[in-house]
Amino acid sequence: MFAEARILEVDLSALTCTERRLPAETYRLYPGGSALALYLMFQHTPAGADPLGPENALVFAASPLASLPVAGQSRMTVAARSPLTGAVGDSQSGGFFPAALRANGWDALVFKGQAPHPVYLYLREDAYELRPARHIWGKVTGDAEALLRQELGTDALEIAQIGPAGEQQVRYAAVITMCNRANGRSGMGAVMGSKLLKAVVVPKKARGLKPADQKEFMTLNTRVAEKVAASPFMEGLHKYGTAGELTDHAEVGFLPTRNLSTGVFAEAEAIGGKTMAATILKERDTCHGCAVHCKRVVEVAGELDPLYGGPEYETCATFGSYCGVGDLTAVSKANMLCNMYGMDTISCGATIAFAMECVEQGILSAADTDGLDLRFGNAEAMLAMVEKIARRQGLGRLLGEGSALAARAIGPAAAPLVMAVKGLEVPAHMPQYKASLSVIYAANPFGADHQSSEHDTSLSMPADHWLRQRLDLLGPFPTQMPGDLDADKVRFAFSTQCFYSLLDTVGLCQFVWGPTWQLYGPEDLIRLLRAGIGWETTLGELLKIGERRLNLMRAFNAREGFTRAEDKLPACFFQGLPEGPAAGARVDPDAFARAMELYYHYAGWDPVSGNPRPGKLAELNLGWLAAGQAG
Amino acid sequence: MRVSVNNREQDVPEGLTVRALMELLGVDPRRTSVALNGRVLLIAEYDTTRVSPGDAVRTIRMLAGG
């Protein structure tokens, strides 16, 4: 049985809070996380809203499973119209905040308007209040968190907050929890800053949700540590974190390097997960209820504070190879600064790499860079620029706009150096190798993203491997090489995108739950939903939910004037890589053009506009969008 | 005998099975596949398929997101 959703609407302009209930039949269509957030955005954000204006509603939406005693459930979406892209903004994170939010009985929070002065929301199970936050405005996350604990007289709190970068409305500012987990992508921290909302605070709870069917739930949850140890993929995440695969990317010549101008980085080993484990790793941290422990905590006395965690693969790449920096301590410092100031490490590192290439090509001079020698490999200049961006000082003011807007200000020579789609900087997986990502990067409604579909190498594993047998539940698909981009590969991309879209809706970690290599597969997910929250469902209904969320996002963009014209890749992906084992590798432009046509066909979208047609919306119970209604 | 492994010429012992070749190369068959002359082999073929002189071998490691 599916319950109704409990939502708090916060009018920051009026400093009032109102509790709402979403009927169970509606919640089942948008069951948490990203889909629920998008549904609520359509209720509250008018077309054409300024992303940094009071009309742009900011939504937090938890997993309906959050706080259950099982791995991968403590997830939360933060969504709003993105100030970085103008398109839909959408970001996920884990940690302990989502479990605490749900354990206190809340499914979603909607923030509207703009507060007259800085505030924070103190939210409990049966009470909520907006409190003044002038005393923590301007503080880095660690200091603000300490002050809030002191003020409220307890350490038993989970805190989601912005840092100074969000206050300064850096367009890729993040929402940070635990001082080291980020709803990073698409600038949700800037939206929060524009509302003068510094933090959301919830008390920890000793007990979370009780499984609907305890007996069946336990069958999913028994001997998890053994399962983690037995899976080569979980074992790798546990030992080396997400950065464990960095050297594997380098080995095949596809580690994005020097603003993605090459896939070869001679110092890859120095910035990878194995080196981290052997040198500066202090601890393997985790999210609520998870036995994988993929999170890193690093420490160097006087340089790296373990409060701010440690770098993920993406961070090691964007501040490492993207910037030509082979110093793991410097990369970790950049990660620490981003967590202190509250910024997305992907967009921040990639934007600095963009500026470095502008300097290398003589497009920016030393006068433009505040005297910094902002060249590839200069770790000190990179770190100085992170602080300048967070505080919007000097060139940091411009780079805080993101690489696409910065390039417009710098001039036409800078445009080809922007590695972004729809203004969102591309993550560290090269579509010249993983060909399906060329389509996903281009078509994804919130910009280039690496966590929106399964990657190509799953299809290159033997057809009798257990992960392929899982994947067959969505297929079947023929075995393919990573660089292949035919109709079957596009079908794989779209089908797994729908599955990942579902995961971001029911709010599950994509390392623990997924269609192929993860700890749990699609059949386990159906069991989890039944045993966890009593939801009797099918894979068909779940994939439809994933597809519904994709269409919601695409429809949001269409309302803001987006078409397939924005579904385009940086030109450099179509040019051959210059060196290394993958020399000459590129995205074939003809294959890409055919693949995009196929993608729109599989999605059922208009091939001219690239947007959902009324018939598709109606099929997905989204007819109210075509009618221009509010749901 | 001489074979090509990931586009590099390499000498390996005669009559090697694919599984033995994977051991020799130090790749983990749980997370790496082998394409022999352009075809990804089934796991069921690792013990029965032998590498021949001049074969082109490619190893493909599972690389996910993250």
Side-chain angles (χ1 to χ4, degrees), chain A residues 233 245 248 313-314 429 434 451 455 457-458 460-462 464-465 517, chain B residues 30-31 33 35 40-44 46 60-66:
Chain A
F233 308 111
E245 289 187 346
D248 300 315
Y313 164 70
E314 290 293 331
H429 299 266
K434 299 175 175 180
Q451 290 295 130
H455 291 197
T457 48
S458 283
S460 304
M461 294 300 282
D464 55 350
H465 194 290
W517 56 274
Chain B
R30 298 176 304 165
R31 55 180 303 168
S33 65
V40 174
L41 298 176
L42 298 171
I43 296 169
Y46 289 176
I60 305 159
R61 190 174 166 110
M62 176 72 203
L63 288 175

PDB file of all heavy atoms in Angstrom, chain A residues 233 245 248 313-314 429 434 451 455 457-458 460-462 464-465 517, chain B residues 30-31 33 35 40-44 46 60-66:
ATOM      1  N   PHE A 233      33.178  -5.471  -7.801  1.00  0.00           N
ATOM      2  CA  PHE A 233      32.902  -4.044  -7.973  1.00  0.00           C
ATOM      3  C   PHE A 233      32.753  -3.358  -6.606  1.00  0.00           C
ATOM      4  O   PHE A 233      33.264  -2.266  -6.382  1.00  0.00           O
ATOM      5  CB  PHE A 233      31.638  -3.860  -8.823  1.00  0.00           C
ATOM      6  CG  PHE A 233      31.707  -4.641 -10.110  1.00  0.00           C
ATOM      7  CD1 PHE A 233      30.901  -5.744 -10.330  1.00  0.00           C
ATOM      8  CD2 PHE A 233      32.627  -4.296 -11.086  1.00  0.00           C
ATOM      9  CE1 PHE A 233      30.996  -6.480 -11.501  1.00  0.00           C
ATOM     10  CE2 PHE A 233      32.728  -5.027 -12.265  1.00  0.00           C
ATOM     11  CZ  PHE A 233      31.908  -6.124 -12.468  1.00  0.00           C
ATOM     12  N   GLU A 245      39.140   3.578 -10.051  1.00  0.00           N
ATOM     13  CA  GLU A 245      39.163   3.296 -11.488  1.00  0.00           C
ATOM     14  C   GLU A 245      39.901   4.357 -12.303  1.00  0.00           C
ATOM     15  O   GLU A 245      39.984   4.243 -13.519  1.00  0.00           O
ATOM     16  CB  GLU A 245      37.726   3.158 -12.023  1.00  0.00           C
ATOM     17  CG  GLU A 245      37.034   1.880 -11.543  1.00  0.00           C
ATOM     18  CD  GLU A 245      35.680   1.650 -12.194  1.00  0.00           C
ATOM     19  OE1 GLU A 245      35.152   2.598 -12.801  1.00  0.00           O
ATOM     20  OE2 GLU A 245      35.164   0.532 -12.077  1.00  0.00           O
ATOM     21  N   ASP A 248      42.542   3.037 -14.440  1.00  0.00           N
ATOM     22  CA  ASP A 248      42.022   2.211 -15.542  1.00  0.00           C
ATOM     23  C   ASP A 248      41.605   3.082 -16.726  1.00  0.00           C
ATOM     24  O   ASP A 248      41.792   2.699 -17.880  1.00  0.00           O
ATOM     25  CB  ASP A 248      40.836   1.371 -15.061  1.00  0.00           C
ATOM     26  CG  ASP A 248      41.224   0.448 -13.918  1.00  0.00           C
ATOM     27  OD1 ASP A 248      42.290  -0.188 -14.016  1.00  0.00           O
ATOM     28  OD2 ASP A 248      40.494   0.384 -12.920  1.00  0.00           O
ATOM     29  N   TYR A 313      36.254  10.144  -7.565  1.00  0.00           N
ATOM     30  CA  TYR A 313      36.893  10.040  -8.881  1.00  0.00           C
ATOM     31  C   TYR A 313      36.744  11.335  -9.676  1.00  0.00           C
ATOM     32  O   TYR A 313      37.709  11.852 -10.249  1.00  0.00           O
ATOM     33  CB  TYR A 313      36.295   8.872  -9.683  1.00  0.00           C
ATOM     34  CG  TYR A 313      36.633   8.947 -11.161  1.00  0.00           C
ATOM     35  CD1 TYR A 313      37.935   8.716 -11.592  1.00  0.00           C
ATOM     36  CD2 TYR A 313      35.677   9.297 -12.113  1.00  0.00           C
ATOM     37  CE1 TYR A 313      38.275   8.832 -12.936  1.00  0.00           C
ATOM     38  CE2 TYR A 313      35.996   9.409 -13.447  1.00  0.00           C
ATOM     39  CZ  TYR A 313      37.295   9.172 -13.868  1.00  0.00           C
ATOM     40  OH  TYR A 313      37.624   9.295 -15.189  1.00  0.00           O
ATOM     41  N   GLU A 314      35.500  11.847  -9.722  1.00  0.00           N
ATOM     42  CA  GLU A 314      35.263  13.047 -10.529  1.00  0.00           C
ATOM     43  C   GLU A 314      36.157  14.200 -10.065  1.00  0.00           C
ATOM     44  O   GLU A 314      36.682  14.954 -10.884  1.00  0.00           O
ATOM     45  CB  GLU A 314      33.793  13.461 -10.434  1.00  0.00           C
ATOM     46  CG  GLU A 314      32.832  12.521 -11.125  1.00  0.00           C
ATOM     47  CD  GLU A 314      32.980  12.512 -12.633  1.00  0.00           C
ATOM     48  OE1 GLU A 314      33.380  13.541 -13.198  1.00  0.00           O
ATOM     49  OE2 GLU A 314      32.710  11.464 -13.246  1.00  0.00           O
ATOM     50  N   HIS A 429      34.103  11.157 -17.938  1.00  0.00           N
ATOM     51  CA  HIS A 429      33.978   9.919 -18.723  1.00  0.00           C
ATOM     52  C   HIS A 429      33.907  10.326 -20.183  1.00  0.00           C
ATOM     53  O   HIS A 429      33.010  11.075 -20.580  1.00  0.00           O
ATOM     54  CB  HIS A 429      32.736   9.131 -18.312  1.00  0.00           C
ATOM     55  CG  HIS A 429      32.772   8.719 -16.873  1.00  0.00           C
ATOM     56  ND1 HIS A 429      33.241   7.481 -16.468  1.00  0.00           N
ATOM     57  CD2 HIS A 429      32.445   9.390 -15.747  1.00  0.00           C
ATOM     58  CE1 HIS A 429      33.180   7.412 -15.144  1.00  0.00           C
ATOM     59  NE2 HIS A 429      32.704   8.558 -14.681  1.00  0.00           N
ATOM     60  N   LYS A 434      33.324   5.654 -24.348  1.00  0.00           N
ATOM     61  CA  LYS A 434      31.990   5.159 -23.989  1.00  0.00           C
ATOM     62  C   LYS A 434      30.980   5.886 -24.885  1.00  0.00           C
ATOM     63  O   LYS A 434      30.462   6.955 -24.537  1.00  0.00           O
ATOM     64  CB  LYS A 434      31.707   5.430 -22.520  1.00  0.00           C
ATOM     65  CG  LYS A 434      32.693   4.733 -21.571  1.00  0.00           C
ATOM     66  CD  LYS A 434      32.406   5.164 -20.136  1.00  0.00           C
ATOM     67  CE  LYS A 434      33.267   4.416 -19.142  1.00  0.00           C
ATOM     68  NZ  LYS A 434      33.002   4.809 -17.740  1.00  0.00           N
ATOM     69  N   GLN A 451      25.868   9.971 -14.364  1.00  0.00           N
ATOM     70  CA  GLN A 451      25.091   9.094 -13.488  1.00  0.00           C
ATOM     71  C   GLN A 451      23.638   8.995 -13.962  1.00  0.00           C
ATOM     72  O   GLN A 451      22.740   8.808 -13.161  1.00  0.00           O
ATOM     73  CB  GLN A 451      25.156   9.612 -12.044  1.00  0.00           C
ATOM     74  CG  GLN A 451      26.516   9.451 -11.381  1.00  0.00           C
ATOM     75  CD  GLN A 451      26.928   8.007 -11.175  1.00  0.00           C
ATOM     76  OE1 GLN A 451      28.026   7.613 -11.526  1.00  0.00           O
ATOM     77  NE2 GLN A 451      26.040   7.178 -10.652  1.00  0.00           N
ATOM     78  N   HIS A 455      26.945   2.610 -18.236  1.00  0.00           N
ATOM     79  CA  HIS A 455      28.006   2.899 -19.195  1.00  0.00           C
ATOM     80  C   HIS A 455      28.270   1.701 -20.112  1.00  0.00           C
ATOM     81  O   HIS A 455      27.956   0.556 -19.766  1.00  0.00           O
ATOM     82  CB  HIS A 455      29.282   3.311 -18.459  1.00  0.00           C
ATOM     83  CG  HIS A 455      29.160   4.647 -17.783  1.00  0.00           C
ATOM     84  ND1 HIS A 455      30.232   5.374 -17.351  1.00  0.00           N
ATOM     85  CD2 HIS A 455      28.064   5.403 -17.471  1.00  0.00           C
ATOM     86  CE1 HIS A 455      29.819   6.513 -16.790  1.00  0.00           C
ATOM     87  NE2 HIS A 455      28.507   6.538 -16.856  1.00  0.00           N
ATOM     88  N   THR A 457      30.642  -0.222 -21.047  1.00  0.00           N
ATOM     89  CA  THR A 457      31.421  -1.432 -20.799  1.00  0.00           C
ATOM     90  C   THR A 457      30.574  -2.572 -20.235  1.00  0.00           C
ATOM     91  O   THR A 457      30.973  -3.736 -20.339  1.00  0.00           O
ATOM     92  CB  THR A 457      32.608  -1.145 -19.848  1.00  0.00           C
ATOM     93  OG1 THR A 457      32.126  -0.415 -18.720  1.00  0.00           O
ATOM     94  CG2 THR A 457      33.693  -0.342 -20.549  1.00  0.00           C
ATOM     95  N   SER A 458      29.399  -2.257 -19.684  1.00  0.00           N
ATOM     96  CA  SER A 458      28.502  -3.339 -19.246  1.00  0.00           C
ATOM     97  C   SER A 458      28.136  -4.239 -20.419  1.00  0.00           C
ATOM     98  O   SER A 458      27.998  -5.457 -20.266  1.00  0.00           O
ATOM     99  CB  SER A 458      27.207  -2.767 -18.662  1.00  0.00           C
ATOM    100  OG  SER A 458      27.414  -2.274 -17.379  1.00  0.00           O
ATOM    101  N   SER A 460      29.956  -4.816 -22.914  1.00  0.00           N
ATOM    102  CA  SER A 460      31.154  -5.486 -23.442  1.00  0.00           C
ATOM    103  C   SER A 460      31.549  -6.668 -22.576  1.00  0.00           C
ATOM    104  O   SER A 460      32.530  -7.356 -22.880  1.00  0.00           O
ATOM    105  CB  SER A 460      32.325  -4.501 -23.503  1.00  0.00           C
ATOM    106  OG  SER A 460      31.975  -3.376 -24.257  1.00  0.00           O
ATOM    107  N   MET A 461      30.826  -6.885 -21.497  1.00  0.00           N
ATOM    108  CA  MET A 461      31.103  -8.060 -20.672  1.00  0.00           C
ATOM    109  C   MET A 461      30.476  -9.286 -21.337  1.00  0.00           C
ATOM    110  O   MET A 461      29.528  -9.161 -22.126  1.00  0.00           O
ATOM    111  CB  MET A 461      30.550  -7.854 -19.255  1.00  0.00           C
ATOM    112  CG  MET A 461      31.252  -6.742 -18.471  1.00  0.00           C
ATOM    113  SD  MET A 461      33.022  -7.011 -18.225  1.00  0.00           S
ATOM    114  CE  MET A 461      32.988  -8.204 -16.887  1.00  0.00           C
ATOM    115  N   PRO A 462      30.988 -10.474 -21.039  1.00  0.00           N
ATOM    116  CA  PRO A 462      30.470 -11.683 -21.707  1.00  0.00           C
ATOM    117  C   PRO A 462      28.971 -11.855 -21.488  1.00  0.00           C
ATOM    118  O   PRO A 462      28.450 -11.535 -20.415  1.00  0.00           O
ATOM    119  CB  PRO A 462      31.258 -12.819 -21.036  1.00  0.00           C
ATOM    120  CG  PRO A 462      32.487 -12.186 -20.501  1.00  0.00           C
ATOM    121  CD  PRO A 462      32.096 -10.787 -20.114  1.00  0.00           C
ATOM    122  N   ASP A 464      27.311 -14.356 -20.883  1.00  0.00           N
ATOM    123  CA  ASP A 464      26.933 -15.265 -19.797  1.00  0.00           C
ATOM    124  C   ASP A 464      27.438 -14.785 -18.428  1.00  0.00           C
ATOM    125  O   ASP A 464      27.420 -15.532 -17.459  1.00  0.00           O
ATOM    126  CB  ASP A 464      27.406 -16.699 -20.077  1.00  0.00           C
ATOM    127  CG  ASP A 464      28.905 -16.791 -20.359  1.00  0.00           C
ATOM    128  OD1 ASP A 464      29.560 -15.733 -20.533  1.00  0.00           O
ATOM    129  OD2 ASP A 464      29.428 -17.926 -20.437  1.00  0.00           O
ATOM    130  N   HIS A 465      27.885 -13.546 -18.341  1.00  0.00           N
ATOM    131  CA  HIS A 465      28.250 -12.943 -17.052  1.00  0.00           C
ATOM    132  C   HIS A 465      26.969 -12.581 -16.300  1.00  0.00           C
ATOM    133  O   HIS A 465      25.984 -12.167 -16.908  1.00  0.00           O
ATOM    134  CB  HIS A 465      29.091 -11.687 -17.292  1.00  0.00           C
ATOM    135  CG  HIS A 465      29.796 -11.151 -16.083  1.00  0.00           C
ATOM    136  ND1 HIS A 465      29.126 -10.559 -15.031  1.00  0.00           N
ATOM    137  CD2 HIS A 465      31.116 -11.107 -15.737  1.00  0.00           C
ATOM    138  CE1 HIS A 465      29.995 -10.171 -14.105  1.00  0.00           C
ATOM    139  NE2 HIS A 465      31.217 -10.496 -14.511  1.00  0.00           N
ATOM    140  N   TRP A 517      25.997  -4.149 -12.602  1.00  0.00           N
ATOM    141  CA  TRP A 517      27.121  -4.563 -11.765  1.00  0.00           C
ATOM    142  C   TRP A 517      26.920  -4.285 -10.285  1.00  0.00           C
ATOM    143  O   TRP A 517      27.737  -4.696  -9.452  1.00  0.00           O
ATOM    144  CB  TRP A 517      28.390  -3.821 -12.220  1.00  0.00           C
ATOM    145  CG  TRP A 517      28.236  -2.329 -12.203  1.00  0.00           C
ATOM    146  CD1 TRP A 517      27.725  -1.552 -13.214  1.00  0.00           C
ATOM    147  CD2 TRP A 517      28.548  -1.417 -11.141  1.00  0.00           C
ATOM    148  NE1 TRP A 517      27.706  -0.217 -12.837  1.00  0.00           N
ATOM    149  CE2 TRP A 517      28.206  -0.113 -11.573  1.00  0.00           C
ATOM    150  CE3 TRP A 517      29.084  -1.580  -9.860  1.00  0.00           C
ATOM    151  CZ2 TRP A 517      28.388   1.017 -10.770  1.00  0.00           C
ATOM    152  CZ3 TRP A 517      29.266  -0.461  -9.059  1.00  0.00           C
ATOM    153  CH2 TRP A 517      28.922   0.826  -9.528  1.00  0.00           C
TER     154      TRP A 517
ATOM    155  N   ARG B  30      36.468 -11.564 -13.444  1.00  0.00           N
ATOM    156  CA  ARG B  30      35.170 -11.177 -12.891  1.00  0.00           C
ATOM    157  C   ARG B  30      34.744  -9.801 -13.365  1.00  0.00           C
ATOM    158  O   ARG B  30      33.578  -9.453 -13.317  1.00  0.00           O
ATOM    159  CB  ARG B  30      35.219 -11.190 -11.360  1.00  0.00           C
ATOM    160  CG  ARG B  30      35.522 -12.561 -10.754  1.00  0.00           C
ATOM    161  CD  ARG B  30      35.642 -12.447  -9.243  1.00  0.00           C
ATOM    162  NE  ARG B  30      36.647 -11.451  -8.843  1.00  0.00           N
ATOM    163  CZ  ARG B  30      36.757 -10.941  -7.621  1.00  0.00           C
ATOM    164  NH1 ARG B  30      35.930 -11.323  -6.667  1.00  0.00           N
ATOM    165  NH2 ARG B  30      37.695 -10.042  -7.341  1.00  0.00           N
ATOM    166  N   ARG B  31      35.705  -8.991 -13.779  1.00  0.00           N
ATOM    167  CA  ARG B  31      35.358  -7.623 -14.183  1.00  0.00           C
ATOM    168  C   ARG B  31      36.027  -7.201 -15.488  1.00  0.00           C
ATOM    169  O   ARG B  31      36.088  -6.021 -15.808  1.00  0.00           O
ATOM    170  CB  ARG B  31      35.670  -6.620 -13.078  1.00  0.00           C
ATOM    171  CG  ARG B  31      37.083  -6.619 -12.571  1.00  0.00           C
ATOM    172  CD  ARG B  31      37.258  -5.581 -11.489  1.00  0.00           C
ATOM    173  NE  ARG B  31      36.885  -4.263 -11.963  1.00  0.00           N
ATOM    174  CZ  ARG B  31      36.714  -3.197 -11.183  1.00  0.00           C
ATOM    175  NH1 ARG B  31      36.865  -3.297  -9.885  1.00  0.00           N
ATOM    176  NH2 ARG B  31      36.387  -2.032 -11.671  1.00  0.00           N
ATOM    177  N   SER B  33      36.466  -8.447 -19.704  1.00  0.00           N
ATOM    178  CA  SER B  33      36.133  -9.386 -20.778  1.00  0.00           C
ATOM    179  C   SER B  33      37.297  -9.475 -21.766  1.00  0.00           C
ATOM    180  O   SER B  33      38.215  -8.658 -21.732  1.00  0.00           O
ATOM    181  CB  SER B  33      34.850  -8.953 -21.491  1.00  0.00           C
ATOM    182  OG  SER B  33      35.056  -7.723 -22.142  1.00  0.00           O
ATOM    183  N   ALA B  35      38.065  -9.912 -25.904  1.00  0.00           N
ATOM    184  CA  ALA B  35      37.629 -10.007 -27.299  1.00  0.00           C
ATOM    185  C   ALA B  35      38.765 -10.648 -28.087  1.00  0.00           C
ATOM    186  O   ALA B  35      39.905 -10.173 -28.033  1.00  0.00           O
ATOM    187  CB  ALA B  35      37.313  -8.634 -27.850  1.00  0.00           C
ATOM    188  N   VAL B  40      33.757 -10.699 -28.498  1.00  0.00           N
ATOM    189  CA  VAL B  40      33.818 -10.888 -27.050  1.00  0.00           C
ATOM    190  C   VAL B  40      33.416 -12.324 -26.734  1.00  0.00           C
ATOM    191  O   VAL B  40      32.348 -12.793 -27.137  1.00  0.00           O
ATOM    192  CB  VAL B  40      32.881  -9.901 -26.316  1.00  0.00           C
ATOM    193  CG1 VAL B  40      32.843 -10.200 -24.816  1.00  0.00           C
ATOM    194  CG2 VAL B  40      33.322  -8.455 -26.556  1.00  0.00           C
ATOM    195  N   LEU B  41      34.286 -13.035 -26.030  1.00  0.00           N
ATOM    196  CA  LEU B  41      34.036 -14.445 -25.725  1.00  0.00           C
ATOM    197  C   LEU B  41      33.089 -14.600 -24.543  1.00  0.00           C
ATOM    198  O   LEU B  41      33.018 -13.732 -23.666  1.00  0.00           O
ATOM    199  CB  LEU B  41      35.352 -15.139 -25.385  1.00  0.00           C
ATOM    200  CG  LEU B  41      36.396 -15.171 -26.501  1.00  0.00           C
ATOM    201  CD1 LEU B  41      37.689 -15.811 -25.980  1.00  0.00           C
ATOM    202  CD2 LEU B  41      35.885 -15.936 -27.720  1.00  0.00           C
ATOM    203  N   LEU B  42      32.382 -15.727 -24.544  1.00  0.00           N
ATOM    204  CA  LEU B  42      31.608 -16.105 -23.362  1.00  0.00           C
ATOM    205  C   LEU B  42      32.566 -16.607 -22.289  1.00  0.00           C
ATOM    206  O   LEU B  42      33.649 -17.138 -22.603  1.00  0.00           O
ATOM    207  CB  LEU B  42      30.624 -17.225 -23.713  1.00  0.00           C
ATOM    208  CG  LEU B  42      29.552 -16.897 -24.752  1.00  0.00           C
ATOM    209  CD1 LEU B  42      28.796 -18.171 -25.143  1.00  0.00           C
ATOM    210  CD2 LEU B  42      28.602 -15.844 -24.213  1.00  0.00           C
ATOM    211  N   ILE B  43      32.161 -16.509 -21.043  1.00  0.00           N
ATOM    212  CA  ILE B  43      32.977 -17.079 -19.957  1.00  0.00           C
ATOM    213  C   ILE B  43      33.118 -18.585 -20.191  1.00  0.00           C
ATOM    214  O   ILE B  43      34.185 -19.172 -19.945  1.00  0.00           O
ATOM    215  CB  ILE B  43      32.319 -16.796 -18.591  1.00  0.00           C
ATOM    216  CG1 ILE B  43      32.292 -15.293 -18.327  1.00  0.00           C
ATOM    217  CG2 ILE B  43      33.058 -17.519 -17.466  1.00  0.00           C
ATOM    218  CD1 ILE B  43      31.445 -14.882 -17.134  1.00  0.00           C
ATOM    219  N   ALA B  44      32.061 -19.188 -20.706  1.00  0.00           N
ATOM    220  CA  ALA B  44      32.061 -20.635 -20.961  1.00  0.00           C
ATOM    221  C   ALA B  44      33.120 -21.041 -21.983  1.00  0.00           C
ATOM    222  O   ALA B  44      33.471 -22.218 -22.075  1.00  0.00           O
ATOM    223  CB  ALA B  44      30.684 -21.073 -21.438  1.00  0.00           C
ATOM    224  N   TYR B  46      36.252 -19.670 -22.051  1.00  0.00           N
ATOM    225  CA  TYR B  46      37.601 -19.336 -21.584  1.00  0.00           C
ATOM    226  C   TYR B  46      38.506 -20.570 -21.470  1.00  0.00           C
ATOM    227  O   TYR B  46      39.708 -20.494 -21.729  1.00  0.00           O
ATOM    228  CB  TYR B  46      37.555 -18.636 -20.217  1.00  0.00           C
ATOM    229  CG  TYR B  46      37.022 -17.218 -20.228  1.00  0.00           C
ATOM    230  CD1 TYR B  46      36.862 -16.519 -19.036  1.00  0.00           C
ATOM    231  CD2 TYR B  46      36.689 -16.564 -21.411  1.00  0.00           C
ATOM    232  CE1 TYR B  46      36.373 -15.216 -19.017  1.00  0.00           C
ATOM    233  CE2 TYR B  46      36.196 -15.271 -21.409  1.00  0.00           C
ATOM    234  CZ  TYR B  46      36.031 -14.602 -20.207  1.00  0.00           C
ATOM    235  OH  TYR B  46      35.549 -13.325 -20.189  1.00  0.00           O
ATOM    236  N   ILE B  60      38.828  -5.820 -22.036  1.00  0.00           N
ATOM    237  CA  ILE B  60      37.950  -4.672 -21.783  1.00  0.00           C
ATOM    238  C   ILE B  60      37.528  -4.711 -20.323  1.00  0.00           C
ATOM    239  O   ILE B  60      36.820  -5.620 -19.901  1.00  0.00           O
ATOM    240  CB  ILE B  60      36.709  -4.714 -22.697  1.00  0.00           C
ATOM    241  CG1 ILE B  60      37.145  -4.796 -24.159  1.00  0.00           C
ATOM    242  CG2 ILE B  60      35.825  -3.490 -22.452  1.00  0.00           C
ATOM    243  CD1 ILE B  60      36.085  -5.340 -25.077  1.00  0.00           C
ATOM    244  N   ARG B  61      38.001  -3.745 -19.596  1.00  0.00           N
ATOM    245  CA  ARG B  61      37.687  -3.703 -18.171  1.00  0.00           C
ATOM    246  C   ARG B  61      36.377  -2.954 -17.955  1.00  0.00           C
ATOM    247  O   ARG B  61      36.126  -1.927 -18.574  1.00  0.00           O
ATOM    248  CB  ARG B  61      38.814  -2.995 -17.419  1.00  0.00           C
ATOM    249  CG  ARG B  61      38.676  -3.120 -15.919  1.00  0.00           C
ATOM    250  CD  ARG B  61      39.908  -2.528 -15.238  1.00  0.00           C
ATOM    251  NE  ARG B  61      39.662  -2.349 -13.829  1.00  0.00           N
ATOM    252  CZ  ARG B  61      40.231  -3.061 -12.863  1.00  0.00           C
ATOM    253  NH1 ARG B  61      41.085  -3.996 -13.161  1.00  0.00           N
ATOM    254  NH2 ARG B  61      39.957  -2.828 -11.605  1.00  0.00           N
ATOM    255  N   MET B  62      35.562  -3.495 -17.083  1.00  0.00           N
ATOM    256  CA  MET B  62      34.301  -2.854 -16.727  1.00  0.00           C
ATOM    257  C   MET B  62      34.596  -1.528 -16.024  1.00  0.00           C
ATOM    258  O   MET B  62      35.238  -1.497 -14.973  1.00  0.00           O
ATOM    259  CB  MET B  62      33.555  -3.816 -15.800  1.00  0.00           C
ATOM    260  CG  MET B  62      32.272  -3.326 -15.236  1.00  0.00           C
ATOM    261  SD  MET B  62      30.976  -3.253 -16.442  1.00  0.00           S
ATOM    262  CE  MET B  62      29.968  -2.038 -15.614  1.00  0.00           C
ATOM    263  N   LEU B  63      34.205  -0.442 -16.633  1.00  0.00           N
ATOM    264  CA  LEU B  63      34.410   0.885 -16.042  1.00  0.00           C
ATOM    265  C   LEU B  63      33.066   1.579 -15.925  1.00  0.00           C
ATOM    266  O   LEU B  63      32.464   1.939 -16.941  1.00  0.00           O
ATOM    267  CB  LEU B  63      35.342   1.735 -16.920  1.00  0.00           C
ATOM    268  CG  LEU B  63      36.814   1.348 -16.938  1.00  0.00           C
ATOM    269  CD1 LEU B  63      37.580   2.205 -17.940  1.00  0.00           C
ATOM    270  CD2 LEU B  63      37.425   1.496 -15.562  1.00  0.00           C
ATOM    271  N   ALA B  64      32.607   1.744 -14.711  1.00  0.00           N
ATOM    272  CA  ALA B  64      31.275   2.303 -14.504  1.00  0.00           C
ATOM    273  C   ALA B  64      31.365   3.806 -14.248  1.00  0.00           C
ATOM    274  O   ALA B  64      32.419   4.416 -14.369  1.00  0.00           O
ATOM    275  CB  ALA B  64      30.610   1.596 -13.327  1.00  0.00           C
ATOM    276  N   GLY B  65      30.232   4.373 -13.872  1.00  0.00           N
ATOM    277  CA  GLY B  65      30.221   5.789 -13.514  1.00  0.00           C
ATOM    278  C   GLY B  65      30.787   5.997 -12.126  1.00  0.00           C
ATOM    279  O   GLY B  65      31.313   5.081 -11.513  1.00  0.00           O
ATOM    280  N   GLY B  66      30.652   7.194 -11.619  1.00  0.00           N
ATOM    281  CA  GLY B  66      31.130   7.433 -10.260  1.00  0.00           C
ATOM    282  C   GLY B  66      32.066   8.603 -10.186  1.00  0.00           C
ATOM    283  O   GLY B  66      32.468   9.146 -11.171  1.00  0.00           O
TER     284      GLY B  66
END
